[in-house]
Amino acid sequence: MKCFSILTSISLLFPVLAFMPNQKIGTSSRLNAWVDDAIGVTAPVGFFDPLGLSANKSDETMALYREAELKHGRVAMAACLGWYVTAAGVHPAFQSTLSSDPLLAAQQLPAVGWLQFVLGCGAIEFLAEQIKLQPGYVPGDLLGAAQWVDNSDEGWVGYQNREINNGRLAMVAFMGIFVQDLKFGNYGDQIFRN
């Protein structure tokens, strides 16, 4: 339990780093392109790299980081939605026989449910890897929108910035939701009860 408390405290510290002053990282012109005009560089944080992971990285590595950020953000947004749907008692595949606590529901899920989950995620990953092989692929653009619109369209850039920022928020939010249930047993609308 003490180890869990220490890990929880450390994991909750990382979001605080986002609000620390931004330090100049390297002088590479390639990195400066990511720092100055990349999608996701928005106020009030600006270029978000509190751990300095982008220092002296190539464009290919930065594109991989952007794709990972988008993927994790999308999964976190879906996880937040799924958490509250489960907490509301909605389990269409199992006639609502699973617990409304998402952590208990995950334990109660039959092996065939986990198999479906793993195979579904694997199929999506396989398709994503195939899409990446297409010429002109833009990191994170699995539906091919970059073929119709480019980053000179302000509406498209605004959409991409909102997606990245919402994904960042969802990653932090899901960690809080998960820890609250794990440590205190609160989930769903119980979070707001006295």
Side-chain angles (χ1 to χ4, degrees):
M1 188 66 182
K2 185 173 183 173
C3 180
F4 172 75
S5 297
I6 292 170
L7 288 175
T8 301
S9 301
I10 290 171
S11 69
L12 293 176
L13 247 178
F14 284 110
V16 173
L17 294 175
F19 299 101
M20 293 178 65
N22 202 4
Q23 298 174 353
K24 187 75 173 167
I25 304 171
T27 56
S28 165
S29 61
R30 284 188 286 177
L31 179 59
N32 287 340
W34 282 92
V35 172
D36 295 335
D37 60 0
I39 304 294
V41 179
T42 57
V45 178
F47 182 67
F48 181 76
D49 186 18
L51 299 178
L53 298 175
S54 63
N56 302 320
K57 298 293 191 272
S58 68
D59 284 343
E60 294 78 24
T61 303
M62 292 299 292
L64 178 69
Y65 286 174
R66 171 51 48 88
E67 183 147 16
E69 180 181 26
L70 281 167
K71 185 180 290 188
H72 284 87
R74 290 169 179 163
V75 169
M77 287 187 275
C80 287
L81 176 63
W83 189 276
Y84 286 109
V85 168
T86 301
V90 179
H91 308 284
F94 299 99
Q95 294 88 30
S96 295
T97 58
L98 299 176
S99 171
S100 291
D101 181 345
L103 292 180
L104 291 176
Q107 294 172 359
Q108 296 169 349
L109 188 65
V112 70
W114 281 108
L115 180 64
Q116 290 173 348
F117 176 74
V118 170
L119 290 177
C121 290
I124 291 170
E125 286 297 318
F126 175 77
L127 290 174
E129 291 300 318
Q130 297 306 309
I131 292 169
K132 286 182 194 179
L133 300 175
Q134 301 298 321
Y137 174 74
V138 175
D141 183 19
L142 299 178
L143 300 178
Q147 295 175 4
W148 300 299
V149 64
D150 63 3
N151 287 343
S152 64
D153 181 359
E154 289 182 26
W156 177 242
V157 170
Y159 169 79
Q160 291 176 319
N161 282 329
R162 286 190 299 274
E163 181 184 22
I164 288 174
N165 287 332
N166 287 335
R168 290 171 180 167
L169 176 62
M171 287 185 268
V172 173
F174 186 76
M175 181 55 90
I177 293 167
F178 179 77
V179 168
Q180 182 136 4
D181 189 4
L182 196 61
K183 188 158 178 78
F184 303 108
N186 294 335
Y187 61 92
D189 64 347
Q190 293 181 356
I191 293 173
F192 303 108
R193 293 185 186 165
N194 290 328

